[in-house]
């Protein structure tokens, strides 16, 4: 127990790990909240419609929702009680609950029909045997009655894939800290010489890793449940698990609460597989680079098997039993599925349990064999044959600045973390489409180019058409014989009016502008320049600032704490050389992380929204029509990248200067996070005026341009 306590204290002393843990927990929660907010309805609306539907008979729920949908089509004259997004969400959920007994009956009927078809290749094939086993698998859930309740909170918590990625990254950091730090510091010979020996030391380290795995799983997915419960509610946990939309085809006769327990236990077991494999790699590797490469290969191969091996192929066993599949618990327990085991169907649930046991046993055995039986492995730097001569060469001052920051002060950890965060954030880029947006793209694409008489004629024609439709609607309503179907048809013909008004406003703005504006689809550029009210720039600002503070805050402050500055100032480089190299390193880090986020973001904008209008004047966009400086959209994009990169470089230098004013890393962390990260976080949360405070407007560029435009307009009034 004393050895375990010492190992725990050493892990707690790794402060950077806990800072990263806190940041990733905030990122995990923010992504889930953002996903929930993108649905188009609030949690209170969702709870309200559930409460309303539960007051009526189940058979009347579809009619009520259909009535609400029809009322929504009548515009402002008879508006529905709930938003159309919420009604669209509830209609399939209610239909599935009411039709559950019929679906169970259809499973048996379809099994008999499919078995009679010759396309399955006969009775000695996996497909035929799998069809025969399906109906008995659902006998346990026959007679279950589903009821409507709040389910979105649990669905969001259980299907939040970002938590899986963040969990794997945190586990890799923890395993590396537990298994490698003693070797890097040269402590392993002393620890091996202790009376308890290597075996006890390994058991303690693996036990600590297992405990941290449990803690990370509970933290991430417990946070998901907490957020889901606060936003939508969790409902009655004693109801059947099939009441949850994504678990509708589950064949386990368990309640929602029981499934949650099963989910957490299996998720912990899946994460333990990764943790123990990481530990085995650390025990075998001679240096950190080997650990990073081998761990990356293991994770990459796991996810390649999971994503690219066909589900119905003869190799499907490698897909369903890959560690990536074992972490995806809902695919194991959320439906009935068999794997192809030499032509015979074998339950995926049982196979997953066996695979977890075998992988854990193998990983622990390999780790024990390498850790206990092999000779003492000391930490060694990576040296390639072609680069051995470099050891006899004197490196420059800038090399030692990089080496101290990235290697000695573990700066490589936030570097890997920010690359991982940038990849996750970039992969989550989504183009949000609504009916108005689709119509607006259609109008601008059809009328693309310089404004002509044809554009004016198009606008007049649409206005006359809308006027006729309004008169017809008014006549129907005043006649007292209003037909709901006829009214709905007329309102559907006016669905594109919102997009047309946006198109017409832009047409008028271009005509009033001094520049020779053009018409093109500009929603992508509006998003890039922050004209549609998005917070993409604020999200990037927050991640950039967190990374720079984690990387640069301890550098100069630690030099002051250890009085290293006195030694460095006395060298040939002197004080001037010290600060020159430090500020250069800071600026390069700031510019690199800015480009890491902004270049993929601009590429996604151009790919998803198109590149039309790049050479057109910026004044072709409604928000920029009054801008006095005529420049193209392409020039504005280049200017945005230059300003954001330069601002990030300047911010990084300011962080280093502030760190130099602190006498130890902890005050430096507190000071830099308070000055730089806190305003960015408050701006992202929507606190008024925060987006234009501190370095936020410079890193954003959009806020800087917007503030300058407002001041210019007030000056000319």
């Amino acid at each position: 127990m004393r050895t375990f306590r010492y190992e725990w204290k050493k892990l707690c002393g790794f402060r950077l790990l806990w800072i990263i843990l806190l940041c990733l927990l905030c990122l995990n929660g923010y992504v889930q909240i953002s996903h929930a907010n993108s649905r188009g309805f609030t949690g209170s609306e969702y709870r309200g419609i559930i409460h309303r539907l539960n007051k009526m008979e189940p058979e009347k729920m579809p009619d009520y929702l259909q009535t609400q949908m029809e009322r929504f089509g009548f515009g402002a004259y008879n508006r529905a009680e709930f938003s159309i997004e919420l009604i669209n969400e509830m209609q399939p959920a209610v239909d599935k609950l009411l039709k559950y007994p019929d679906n169970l009956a259809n499973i048996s009927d379809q099994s008999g029909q499919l078995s009679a078809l010759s396309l399955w290749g006969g009775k000695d094939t996996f497909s035929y045997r799998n069809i025969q086993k399906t109906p008995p698998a659902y006998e346990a859930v026959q007679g279950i009655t589903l009821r409507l309740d709040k389910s979105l909170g649990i669905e969001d918590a259980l299907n939040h894939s970002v938590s899986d990625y963040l969990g794997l990254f945190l586990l890799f950091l923890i395993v590396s800290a537990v298994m490698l730090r003693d070797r890097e510091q040269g402590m392993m010979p002393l620890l091996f010489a202790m009376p308890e020996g290597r075996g006890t030391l390994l058991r303690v380290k693996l036990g600590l890793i297992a405990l941290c795995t449990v803690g990370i799983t509970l933290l991430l997915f417990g946070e998901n449940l907490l957020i889901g419960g606060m936003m939508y509610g969790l409902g009655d946990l004693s109801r059947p698990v099939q009441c949850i939309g994504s678990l509708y085809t589950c064949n386990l006769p368990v309640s929602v609460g029981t499934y949650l327990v099963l989910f957490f236990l299996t998720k912990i077991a899946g994460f333990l597989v990764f943790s123990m494999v990481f530990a085995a790699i650390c025990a075998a590797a001679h240096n950190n680079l080997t650990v990073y490469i081998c761990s990356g290969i293991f994770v990459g191969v796991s996810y390649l098997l999971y994503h690219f091996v066909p589900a119905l192929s003869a190799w499907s066993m490698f897909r369903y039993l890959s560690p990536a599949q074992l972490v995806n618990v809902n695919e194991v327990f959320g439906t009935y599925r068999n794997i192809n085991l030499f032509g015979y169907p074998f339950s995926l649930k049982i196979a997953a349990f066996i695979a977890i046991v075998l992988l854990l046993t193998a990983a622990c055995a390999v780790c024990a064999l390498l850790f206990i039986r092999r000779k003492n492995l000391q930490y060694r730097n990576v040296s390639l044959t072609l680069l051995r001569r470099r050891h006899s060469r004197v490196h420059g001052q800038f090399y030692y600045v990089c080496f101290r920051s990235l290697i000695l002060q573990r700066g490589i950890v936030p570097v890997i973390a920010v690359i991982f965060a940038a990849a996750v954030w970039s992969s989550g880029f989504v183009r949000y489409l609504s009916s108005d947006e689709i119509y607006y793209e259609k109008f601008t694409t059809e009328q693309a180019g310089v404004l002509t008489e044809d554009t004016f004629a198009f606008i007049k024609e649409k206005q006359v058409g809308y006027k006729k439709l309004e008169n017809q609607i008014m006549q129907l309503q005043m006649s007292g014989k209003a037909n709901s179907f006829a009214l709905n048809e007329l309102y559907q013909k006016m669905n594109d009016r919102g997009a047309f008004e946006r198109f017409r406003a832009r047409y008028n703005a271009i005509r009033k502008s001094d520049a020779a504006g053009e018409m093109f689809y500009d929603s992508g550029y509006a998003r890039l320049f922050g004209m549609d009210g998005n917070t993409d720039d604020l999200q990037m600002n927050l991640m950039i600032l967190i990374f720079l503070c984690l990387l640069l805050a301890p550098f100069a402050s630690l030099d002051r704490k250890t009085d290293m500055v006195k030694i460095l100032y006395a060298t040939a480089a002197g004080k001037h050389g010290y600060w020159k190299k430090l500020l250069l390193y800071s600026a390069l880090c700031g510019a690199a992380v800015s480009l890491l986020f902004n270049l993929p973001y601009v590429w996604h904008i151009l790919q998803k929204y198109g590149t039309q209008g790049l050479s057109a004047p910026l004044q072709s966009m409604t928000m920029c029509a009054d801008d006095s400086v005529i420049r193209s959209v392409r020039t504005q994009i280049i200017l945005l990248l230059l300003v954001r990169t330069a601002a990030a470089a300047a911010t990084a230098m300011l962080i280093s200067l502030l760190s130099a004013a602190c006498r130890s890393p902890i005050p430096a962390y507190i000071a830099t996070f308070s000055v730089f990260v806190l305003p960015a976080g408050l701006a992202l949360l929507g606190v008024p005026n925060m987006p234009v405070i501190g370095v936020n407007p410079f890193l954003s560029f959009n806020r800087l341009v917007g503030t300058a435009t407002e001041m210019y307009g007030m000056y000319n009034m």
Side-chain angles (χ1 to χ4, degrees), residues 37 127 131 159 171 217 399 452 531 559 583 597 633 665:
N37 291 335
S127 299
I131 292 171
N159 296 289
L171 290 177
T217 307
Y399 169 85
T452 61
M531 298 176 185
D559 286 344
L583 294 180
F597 281 94
V633 175

Side-chain angles (χ1 to χ4, degrees), residues 4-22:
F4 181 86
R5 187 168 63 250
Y6 289 153
E7 289 291 331
W8 172 251
K9 285 184 177 181
K10 287 191 292 185
L11 184 62
C12 291
F14 192 13
R15 297 187 181 92
L16 185 58
L17 173 65
W18 303 111
I19 296 174
I20 293 176
L21 172 62
L22 179 61

Side-chain angles (χ1 to χ4, degrees), residues 303-325:
Y303 276 90
L304 287 175
L305 291 173
Y306 172 65
H307 284 289
F308 293 104
V309 175
L312 300 178
S313 70
W315 305 97
S316 61
M317 181 193 310
F318 297 99
R319 167 192 169 94
Y320 290 121
L321 299 183
S322 66
Q325 170 68 73

Side-chain angles (χ1 to χ4, degrees), residues 536-614:
D536 292 348
D537 55 339
L538 297 179
Q539 295 175 38
M540 288 190 288
N541 289 355
L542 182 61
M543 289 184 281
I544 289 171
L545 289 172
I546 290 175
F547 163 73
L548 292 177
C549 289
L550 291 176
L551 180 67
L552 301 176
F555 192 91
S557 59
L558 189 62
D559 286 344
R560 288 198 63 185
K561 179 182 179 180
T562 58
D563 285 333
M564 181 62 68
V565 289
K566 297 179 180 179
I567 300 174
L568 295 173
Y569 288 172
T571 61
K575 183 176 182 180
H576 176 75
Y578 172 80
W579 281 107
K580 180 180 178 181
K581 297 301 184 292
L582 175 58
L583 294 180
L584 176 61
Y585 171 73
S586 303
L588 290 176
C589 291
V593 72
S594 178
L595 293 175
L596 179 65
F597 281 94
N598 282 288
L599 286 180
Y601 179 67
V602 172
W603 182 81
H604 280 302
I605 290 286
L606 298 179
Q607 184 192 44
K608 303 284 187 182
Y609 291 90
T611 58
Q612 55 177 300
L614 274 175

Side-chain angles (χ1 to χ4, degrees), residues 7-62:
E7 289 291 331
W8 172 251
K9 285 184 177 181
K10 287 191 292 185
L11 184 62
C12 291
F14 192 13
R15 297 187 181 92
L16 185 58
L17 173 65
W18 303 111
I19 296 174
I20 293 176
L21 172 62
L22 179 61
C23 294
L24 293 185
L25 284 175
C26 294
L27 176 63
N28 181 63
Y30 177 77
V31 171
Q32 185 176 355
I33 294 172
S34 299
H35 171 69
N37 291 335
S38 66
R39 282 196 170 101
F41 55 86
T42 63
S44 59
E45 285 183 287
Y46 176 73
R47 293 190 295 269
I49 197 171
I50 294 291
H51 181 71
R52 177 70 59 84
L53 291 172
N54 281 330
K55 287 184 177 181
M56 60 184 69
E57 296 295 329
E59 294 76 13
K60 296 181 179 179
M61 292 179 184

Side-chain angles (χ1 to χ4, degrees), residues 347-418:
S347 173
L348 177 60
K349 299 176 180 62
I350 300 175
F353 174 77
I354 295 174
I356 289 174
V357 172
L358 292 178
L359 288 173
L360 283 177
T361 303
C364 293
V366 171
C367 186
L369 180 65
L370 296 175
F371 191 86
I372 298 175
R373 299 298 180 186
R374 294 184 63 177
K375 295 181 179 180
N376 188 13
L377 290 176
Q378 292 301 312
Y379 176 78
R380 296 190 304 187
N381 290 324
V382 179
S383 60
L384 301 177
T385 304
L386 297 177
L387 301 178
R388 284 178 180 173
R389 294 183 180 179
R390 68 177 184 170
H391 296 291
S392 60
R393 177 167 58 89
V394 177
H395 295 287
Q397 301 172 25
F398 186 74
Y399 169 85
Y400 288 109
V401 171
C402 298
F403 182 81
R404 289 169 56 209
S405 175
L406 297 176
I407 306 302
L408 298 182
Q409 297 180 2
R410 301 293 184 270
I412 191 67
V413 176
V415 169
I416 296 174
V418 77

Side-chain angles (χ1 to χ4, degrees), residues 50 53-54 56-59 61 92-104 107 138 140-151 155 236-256 334:
I50 294 291
L53 291 172
N54 281 330
M56 60 184 69
E57 296 295 329
E59 294 76 13
M61 292 179 184
V94 170
D95 290 341
K96 289 169 69 175
L97 293 179
L98 296 178
K99 295 178 180 178
Y100 186 70
D102 297 334
N103 289 336
L104 291 179
I107 291 175
Y138 283 92
V141 295
Q142 295 286 346
I144 288 180
T145 301
L146 305 187
R147 57 183 185 272
L148 186 65
D149 207 337
K150 299 178 284 290
S151 301
E155 286 201 52
D236 183 10
L237 298 182
S238 63
R239 69 189 188 277
V241 72
Q242 289 78 9
C243 296
I244 308 299
S246 60
L247 305 175
Y248 183 72
T249 58
C250 179
N251 67 321
L252 298 177
V254 297
S255 65
V256 174

